[in-house]
């Protein structure tokens, strides 16, 4: 005869837990359905079945935009994150026993970041451990923290940190200096003396996260404050796409100076006589996550390079 908890482990459908995890992260049934590519009734049914199986109300549904995770729901969500991370990392748990370090290390980075200071450190780790695979994923800034919460990433690099997520430890890195650039089709290309009125009237291309509430809102505030650019005509998700929009189009845009240098004469930094915008950069590590051997070695490597604040082992907490 099995105990009740044994029966729960044997009978509970993992898909119900995964659906619940996405519901909490999206803060809505509709958003979860869109992300999972299933119908809204399917998501609602999965939530109802999970609540019935656990005999607890996990989400309080109300009219309009009301959405509240109950205390029981918060506890279940924390456990689901642990389970999800364990499933994701099953392939890496064999990297022990004196064999060469192997497995996969997943790195999430904000797609608008210039990584020239970080990439050589990552590549050095891969050279030291040739059987390790680095998976580097570019995402919107908020998804970096989300990937860490899901135990789907070892380390993240982003430009904004949510202070309410206490399990994520942020280390400030070197701030990135941005500049205003244009391509050959813009009238200010190669001009050393600029007409402020012409600069102010220029169309702008930017990042989707340039909005006032976005991760790069500092760029928008800086442009508006100094009267640089007029109408936003296009928005890109990544640094390469934005650079190509500037290079091939007739609009101006703000990108990291370190990245723009590689375009050489194809991009021109417009001489703006005000202090350049600086964007904060952080590394993120989940201090509560159980690390695989390869992840532990990877974080030690990054910590030795001053890139992450190494989390203490659970036994030391």
């Amino acid at each position: 005869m099995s105990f009740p908890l044994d029966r729960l482990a044997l009978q509970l459908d993992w898909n119900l837990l995964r659906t619940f995890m996405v519901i909490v992260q999206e803060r809505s049934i509709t958003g979860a359905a869109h992300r999972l590519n299933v119908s809204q009734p399917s998501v609602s049914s999965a939530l109802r079945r999970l609540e019935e199986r656990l005999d607890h109300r996990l989400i309080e549904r109300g009219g309009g935009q009301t959405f509240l995770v109950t205390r029981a729901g918060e506890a279940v969500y924390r456990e689901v994150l642990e389970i999800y991370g364990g499933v994701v990392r099953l392939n890496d748990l064999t990297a022990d026993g004196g064999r060469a370090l192997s497995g996969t290390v997943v790195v999430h980075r904000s797609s608008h970041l210039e990584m020239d200071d970080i990439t050589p450190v990552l590549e050095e780790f891969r050279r030291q451990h040739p059987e390790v695979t680095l998976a580097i994923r570019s995402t919107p800034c908020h998804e970096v923290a989300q990937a860490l919460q899901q135990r789907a990433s070892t380390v993240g690099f982003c430009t904004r940190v949510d202070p309410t997520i206490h399990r994520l430890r942020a280390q400030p890195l070197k701030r990135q200096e941005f500049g205003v650039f244009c391509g050959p089709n813009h009238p200010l290309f190669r001009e050393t003396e600029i007409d402020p009125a012409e600069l102010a009237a220029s169309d702008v291309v930017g990042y989707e996260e340039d909005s006032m509430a976005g991760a790069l809102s500092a760029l928008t505030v800086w442009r508006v404050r100094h009267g640089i650019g007029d109408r936003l005509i296009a928005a890109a998700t990544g640094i390469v796409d934005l650079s190509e929009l500037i290079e091939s189009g007739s609009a101006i845009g703000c990108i990291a100076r370190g990245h723009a240098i590689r375009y050489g004469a194809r991009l021109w930094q417009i001489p703006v006589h005000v202090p350049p915008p600086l964007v904060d950069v952080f590394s993120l590590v989940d201090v509560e996550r159980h690390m695989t051997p390869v992840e532990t070695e990877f974080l030690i490597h990054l910590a030795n390079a001053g890139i992450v604040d190494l989390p203490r082992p659970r036994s030391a907490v």
Side-chain angles (χ1 to χ4, degrees):
M1 183 178 73
S2 62
F3 292 103
L5 287 179
D6 296 330
R7 289 197 296 270
L8 180 63
L10 291 172
Q11 297 173 8
L12 187 59
D13 184 353
W14 157 246
N15 287 323
L16 300 183
L17 295 175
R18 177 171 175 264
T19 300
F20 174 68
M21 179 183 74
V22 176
I23 291 172
V24 174
Q25 291 168 350
E26 295 296 325
R27 309 298 299 176
S28 76
I29 301 294
T30 302
H34 178 74
R35 179 168 152 192
L36 295 169
N37 197 27
V38 297
S39 68
Q40 185 171 330
S42 295
V43 174
S44 297
S45 174
L47 175 59
R48 183 173 60 254
R49 286 160 53 202
L50 180 61
E51 290 179 325
E52 290 172 353
R53 191 69 189 85
L54 297 177
D55 195 25
H56 278 288
R57 189 78 162 174
L58 304 179
I59 302 289
E60 292 293 351
R61 293 78 133 183
Q65 300 298 317
T66 302
F67 183 97
L68 178 66
V69 183
T70 66
R71 291 184 64 181
E74 292 174 353
V76 171
Y77 177 67
R78 288 194 296 269
E79 294 303 320
V80 171
L81 289 178
E82 289 285 353
I83 296 170
Y84 183 83
V87 171
V88 168
R89 294 177 288 119
L90 278 176
N91 289 334
D92 296 340
L93 295 177
T94 58
D96 57 8
R99 291 175 289 180
L101 198 64
S102 63
T104 300
V105 174
V106 180
V107 177
H108 276 72
R109 53 160 291 193
S110 296
S111 53
H112 52 257
L113 272 184
E114 181 266 305
M115 295 275 287
D116 282 1
D117 291 337
I118 299 170
T119 300
V121 180
L122 306 184
E123 180 57 24
E124 176 60 27
F125 181 81
R126 198 202 63 78
R127 282 197 297 267
Q128 293 177 9
H129 306 285
E131 295 187 24
V132 173
T133 300
L134 292 179
I136 302 176
R137 298 169 183 169
S138 297
T139 67
C141 196
H142 72 277
E143 292 185 11
V144 174
Q146 188 177 88
L148 287 161
Q149 287 182 279
Q150 293 176 359
R151 272 43 171 201
S153 187
T154 309
V155 64
F157 298 99
C158 59
T159 55
R160 172 172 287 187
V161 175
D162 184 348
T164 65
I165 308 176
H166 301 296
R167 65 185 303 156
L168 299 184
R169 178 173 296 169
Q171 174 163 318
L173 302 179
K174 181 181 177 181
R175 302 175 80 189
Q176 290 191 359
E177 181 178 319
F178 279 60
V180 183
F181 291 85
C182 66
N185 296 323
H186 194 279
L188 294 179
F189 187 72
R190 300 281 180 87
E191 294 293 328
T192 57
E193 296 294 332
I194 63 171
D195 179 357
E198 191 167 20
L199 180 61
S202 296
D203 288 334
V204 176
V205 290
Y207 291 108
E208 290 183 351
E209 295 182 284
D210 280 2
S211 65
M212 287 299 185
L216 290 176
S217 58
L219 295 182
T220 301
V221 172
W222 181 84
R223 283 196 302 101
V224 172
R225 179 178 298 160
H226 297 293
I228 298 171
D230 182 21
R231 183 172 59 103
L232 182 69
I233 62 170
T237 57
I239 191 170
V240 173
D241 293 333
L242 181 58
S243 301
E244 292 178 353
L245 282 174
I246 297 172
E247 178 192 2
S248 61
S250 58
I252 63 173
C254 289
I255 55 175
R257 292 185 68 250
H259 177 79
I261 289 173
R262 69 190 62 184
Y263 284 81
R266 293 175 294 162
L267 287 180
W268 175 254
Q269 183 171 359
I270 300 172
V272 180
H273 302 299
V274 293
L278 299 174
V279 174
D280 292 325
V281 180
F282 302 90
S283 65
L284 289 180
V285 177
D286 185 350
V287 298
E288 297 184 10
R289 174 174 173 168
H290 292 289
M291 297 293 176
T292 63
V294 65
E295 289 178 316
T296 298
E297 289 300 318
F298 181 64
L299 289 181
I300 291 173
H301 177 79
L302 296 186
N304 289 338
I307 291 180
V308 302
D309 185 6
L310 195 64
R312 290 176 293 167
R314 283 177 175 246
S315 59
V317 177

